[in-house]
């Protein structure tokens, strides 16, 4: 299966300035598209279910985001790709 481009990305970062910088940098790549942003874990789970991103860029020390435990919840809404 060929990869689908652009990759749809959800950013999860509680630092607004850092999130903006990361979003700006990622948008410079033709194969990447930031489709949503969250500043906490609860919002990230909701946005993952709503937007079905291909990739979640996740700050594992984000407030209200209990490490990688929340990442497992996010994983249920992410499309899987095989290269």
């Amino acid at each position: 299966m060929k990869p689908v481009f652009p990759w749809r990305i959800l950013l999860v970062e509680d630092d607004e300035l850092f999130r903006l910088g990361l979003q700006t940098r990622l948008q410079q790549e033709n194969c990447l598209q930031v489709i949503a942003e969250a500043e906490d874990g609860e919002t990230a789970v909701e946005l993952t279910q709503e937007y079905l991103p291909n990739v979640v860029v996740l700050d594992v020390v984000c407030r209200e985001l209990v490490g990688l435990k929340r990442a497992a919840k996010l994983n249920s809404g992410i499309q899987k790709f095989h290269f």
Side-chain angles (χ1 to χ4, degrees):
M1 176 189 255
K2 291 185 178 183
V4 177
F5 292 107
W7 282 14
R8 297 163 35 87
I9 300 173
L10 166 64
L11 291 181
V12 184
E13 169 60 57
D14 59 347
D15 183 310
E16 184 177 4
L17 185 58
F18 186 78
R19 191 173 66 243
L20 176 61
L22 186 55
Q23 186 267 353
T24 300
R25 176 60 186 102
L26 291 172
Q27 291 291 87
Q28 293 174 350
E29 299 297 325
N30 292 333
C31 62
L32 305 176
Q33 177 185 17
V34 177
I35 57 168
E37 299 177 24
E39 64 179 25
D40 60 57
E42 185 176 328
T43 304
V45 171
E46 292 171 8
L47 292 175
T48 298
Q49 293 169 353
E50 181 179 344
Y51 288 98
L52 302 173
N54 305 111
V55 176
V56 176
V57 176
L58 174 67
D59 176 0
V60 294
V61 293
C62 189
R63 73 171 180 258
E64 298 177 26
L65 196 70
V66 185
L68 296 176
K69 290 180 184 179
R70 190 61 66 121
K73 231 178 169 180
L74 293 171
N75 190 40
S76 65
I78 300 173
Q79 299 172 16
K80 304 290 189 253
F81 287 101
H82 301 282
F83 296 94

